[in-house]
Amino acid sequence: MKFFHLSDLHIGLKLINRDLREDQEYILKQIVDISIKEQPDAIIIAGDIYDKAVPSAEAVEVFDHFIAELSSSLPQTVIMMISGNHDSAPRVNCFRSILSKQNLYMVGLPPTMEDEYIEKVTLQDEYGNVNFYLLPFVKPSMVKMVIGTDENGNNFSYNDTIHRLIERENINENERNILVSHQFYLPAGKEAKDVERMDSEIRTVGNIDEVTADILEKFDYAALGHIHKPMKVGSEVYQYCGTPLACSVSEVGQQKGIIMVEIQEKDAKIRTTVLPLNPLRQVRVIKGTLEEILKQTCNDYVSVILTDKVDLDVIDIKDRIRIAFPNLLEIKRESIRKADYSKKPETVEELNPFELCCTFLSNLDDDEKEILRDVINTVMEVK
């Protein structure tokens, strides 16, 4: 069996100040053309179909045209997609039962009641069943009716939530099983700070959404979405495919593509191939003096960094750069003034939590200070 792994289309995205509709239509047409050539049995989109929970009419039109093209060109191909953290889960879930009869599975919601389970789509080839488990983006609060709460009545962490959701599934490990998921999975032994994230990604404070990737070991392949840079999660068969089109300047130089997955009998080596996608316009960073930069005129999306060591006495500098680069994103300037690091920093007295809070909350009376002490002590005991 052969299937395509895509994710993070982010239809409707604006790149700084540029509407990407033409670029997205171009890359989606490329995906259709490659699909016609390769004839996959299934196409997976692992979340973040749209860039916003309430997409514009134009974004919906782009997506509708893309799916219509795929369906008409590949009537036997099963299309499966899940909602991501940018999507509205109920909107993606709309008409779910009707669309599934047309070989189109749009799963927006995870199981939310005790008698519900992760949507499973089973396809067959000469080696038997291939089970696709479609798990949309999950927040712990969404599934507390399914997995319960901890001993204090609080929601479980993201990590515990995903583990409990998957562990309650009756997965036949004698068959081939594929997980489609949109979460932040961490390889064993790695910390969130070790994973390079793109500027276009939404990140949680303290990385509370991280999930240890050991739960993926139940599956023969994990088609993951959420991370915008192509990345393996500790194994060749657990992969983020990244975005099909650069969504931020931080993605400069990345080769975008479709992951084509070819799976044979159980326990046979799974073959993955990246089918490159070539954008209508590249995203580039051009750095140099004004004179050097103006010689590199192009139609790509460009972030300009000026390195002139003196203040430029040029009235029309912005206009000249915009003429050279019709799709200019931004103009930055390297700092002319250099910081002096020769001086030793002044020693700052380290304050304990109570002193620090008193400094921030000035003019506390004795009763308020006593309440503050009790709060801090309670927090420290919990820690």
Side-chain angles (χ1 to χ4, degrees):
M1 179 174 292
K2 175 165 68 178
F3 62 87
F4 281 4
H5 170 196
L6 291 157
S7 77
D8 295 271
L9 305 182
H10 286 278
I11 298 173
L13 173 81
K14 281 184 168 43
L15 180 59
I16 301 182
N17 56 348
R18 294 290 172 180
D19 188 334
L20 293 183
R21 174 168 181 165
E22 185 183 13
D23 303 82
Q24 291 185 325
E25 288 177 329
Y26 182 87
I27 214 74
L28 294 175
K29 178 64 168 61
Q30 216 173 118
I31 291 169
V32 171
D33 291 342
I34 294 172
S35 301
I36 292 171
K37 178 183 176 183
E38 294 291 343
Q39 294 288 308
D41 300 291
I43 295 173
I44 292 168
I45 303 172
D48 280 353
I49 299 161
Y50 297 110
D51 190 57
K52 290 182 170 53
V54 183
S56 66
E58 291 79 8
V60 174
E61 184 181 356
V62 171
F63 176 66
D64 178 66
H65 182 70
F66 171 56
I67 295 301
E69 284 280 296
L70 280 177
S71 297
S72 62
S73 304
L74 301 156
Q76 303 305 315
T77 297
V78 177
I79 303 170
M80 294 174 265
M81 66 191 79
I82 58 174
S83 64
N85 57 306
H86 279 254
D87 297 311
S88 164
R91 286 172 185 269
V92 174
N93 213 62
C94 195
F95 307 119
R96 175 168 162 178
S97 59
I98 297 172
L99 293 173
S100 63
K101 296 172 184 175
Q102 309 298 320
N103 276 349
L104 176 58
Y105 296 85
M106 293 182 63
V107 181
L109 290 169
T112 55
M113 303 300 291
E114 197 172 349
D115 60 345
E116 295 176 352
Y117 291 86
I118 297 171
E119 176 88 8
K120 183 175 76 169
V121 177
T122 300
L123 305 182
Q124 291 185 321
D125 63 10
E126 62 267 35
Y127 302 108
N129 290 343
V130 181
N131 304 307
F132 292 83
Y133 288 84
L134 309 181
L135 180 61
F137 177 69
V138 177
K139 290 183 179 179
S141 59
M142 296 166 69
V143 295
K144 63 182 179 181
M145 297 295 290
V146 178
I147 63 170
T149 54
D150 65 17
E151 63 274 11
N152 299 315
N154 298 319
N155 292 331
F156 287 108
S157 67
Y158 276 83
N159 184 56
D160 289 340
T161 295
I162 298 300
H163 278 69
R164 287 169 181 265
L165 265 184
I166 292 175
E167 285 166 354
R168 70 193 286 272
E169 297 292 321
N170 183 23
I171 298 174
N172 183 352
E173 297 194 31
N174 293 318
E175 296 180 343
R176 294 158 296 165
N177 299 294
I178 313 296
L179 176 67
V180 183
S181 180
H182 191 96
Q183 304 285 158
F184 179 27
Y185 290 96
L186 273 178
K190 280 207 170 187
E191 297 182 17
K193 62 183 177 63
D194 300 325
V195 178
E196 184 185 10
R197 305 291 297 274
M198 301 297 100
D199 293 343
S200 51
E201 298 173 28
I202 292 178
R203 283 169 271 190
T204 59
V205 176
N207 294 299
I208 61 169
D209 59 341
E210 64 186 52
V211 179
T212 54
D214 59 326
I215 193 64
L216 303 179
E217 294 170 7
K218 293 178 177 289
F219 301 92
D220 298 274
Y221 183 84
L224 306 177
H226 191 47
I227 303 298
H228 289 184
K229 178 182 180 179
M231 185 180 87
K232 298 178 178 65
V233 188
S235 168
E236 291 287 331
V237 294
Y238 311 140
Q239 294 201 40
Y240 287 100
C241 62
T243 57
L245 194 67
C247 295
S248 65
V249 175
S250 62
E251 294 165 61
V252 165
Q254 290 181 15
Q255 175 61 66
K256 302 297 188 177
I258 304 165
I259 298 180
M260 182 171 69
V261 183
E262 295 172 277
I263 182 169
Q264 297 180 328
E265 68 269 25
K266 181 73 176 181
D267 297 326
K269 182 177 175 59
I270 292 176
R271 183 182 174 191
T272 61
T273 308
V274 177
L275 306 176
L277 292 169
N278 300 305
L280 181 62
R281 304 174 185 90
Q282 295 285 353
V283 177
R284 299 174 59 193
V285 174
I286 297 180
K287 184 176 180 179
T289 64
L290 177 61
E291 185 179 346
E292 292 167 344
I293 283 171
L294 293 176
K295 293 176 181 177
Q296 301 181 59
T297 180
C298 68
N299 286 316
D300 290 330
Y301 292 117
V302 173
S303 172
V304 166
I305 302 176
L306 292 168
T307 61
D308 296 84
K309 300 301 183 185
V310 295
D311 287 321
L312 295 170
D313 187 19
V314 182
I315 296 175
D316 61 346
I317 181 171
K318 289 183 179 178
D319 291 335
R320 290 174 65 184
I321 293 174
R322 288 195 178 101
I323 291 170
F325 306 105
N327 292 300
L328 178 70
L329 297 175
E330 58 186 356
I331 303 172
K332 294 182 177 181
R333 184 76 183 274
E334 270 194 345
S335 177
I336 297 173
R337 299 171 183 83
K338 300 296 181 183
D340 181 6
Y341 297 105
S342 60
K343 296 180 181 178
K344 292 184 179 179
E346 296 179 9
T347 304
V348 179
E349 183 182 353
E350 188 173 338
L351 303 177
N352 63 42
F354 175 72
E355 294 168 335
L356 191 62
C357 288
C358 286
T359 302
F360 181 72
L361 303 168
S362 56
N363 302 321
L364 295 177
D365 60 29
D366 290 341
D367 289 339
E368 290 169 333
K369 287 182 179 179
E370 193 59 39
I371 292 171
L372 180 60
R373 281 195 186 90
D374 288 342
V375 170
I376 291 172
N377 288 335
T378 301
V379 171
M380 296 300 286
E381 286 171 5
V382 171
K383 287 178 69 179

